[in-house]
Amino acid sequence: QVQVVESGGGLVQPGGSLRLSCAASGFTIVLYTMNWYRQGPGKERELVAALDGFGDRTSYVDSVKGRFTISRDTARNTVYLQMNSLKPEDTAVYYCNARRGGGIWGQGTQVTVSS
């Protein structure tokens, strides 16, 4: 019942854009801090964006500031990650996470940025 499911990943050229979606079921996302993580090949999992369920505050890792935007559609109970000006270093599996003590994780969606 309680889960998040990511979608929207794929192959894109450098400078291109993708929008990832995180559809939540069994809970209301506005009551949680929603996060996007990523893990590239041979790298540690990294928090790239966060959206506070209280006050709509956002935060981003420095490497994506100005390029990525996290947002939510409360009617759809869905969180998005708009990714613009993509770089090869953005290649990773991207994971949605919901946190309010403990966490709920999705299965991940692959983003590959390559010419």
Side-chain angles (χ1 to χ4, degrees):
Q1 288 277 26
V2 178
Q3 65 177 25
V4 293
V5 178
E6 304 96 331
S7 62
L11 174 64
V12 65
Q13 294 186 39
S17 298
L18 286 173
R19 189 175 77 161
L20 306 183
S21 297
C22 171
S25 301
F27 69 99
T28 301
I29 59 172
V30 72
L31 300 178
Y32 287 70
T33 296
M34 301 299 299
N35 309 288
W36 285 97
Y37 287 82
R38 68 185 180 189
Q39 187 166 20
K43 300 179 180 179
E44 294 290 327
R45 185 180 61 187
E46 175 186 40
L47 176 64
V48 298
L51 174 60
D52 194 348
F54 181 79
D56 295 326
R57 291 171 294 183
T58 61
S59 61
Y60 303 91
V61 69
D62 286 345
S63 61
V64 309
K65 286 181 178 177
R67 300 189 297 119
F68 290 13
T69 304
I70 187 170
S71 63
R72 64 174 169 241
D73 184 333
T74 56
R76 297 178 183 269
N77 208 35
T78 299
V79 175
Y80 303 97
L81 185 67
Q82 179 67 46
M83 305 185 295
N84 299 324
S85 302
L86 283 162
K87 305 174 181 179
E89 66 189 81
D90 297 318
T91 295
V93 178
Y94 284 73
Y95 298 92
C96 182
N97 165 263
R99 184 177 299 112
R100 191 184 67 184
I104 305 165
W105 290 90
Q107 83 290 344
T109 185
Q110 176 71 49
V111 172
T112 302
V113 184
S114 176
S115 298

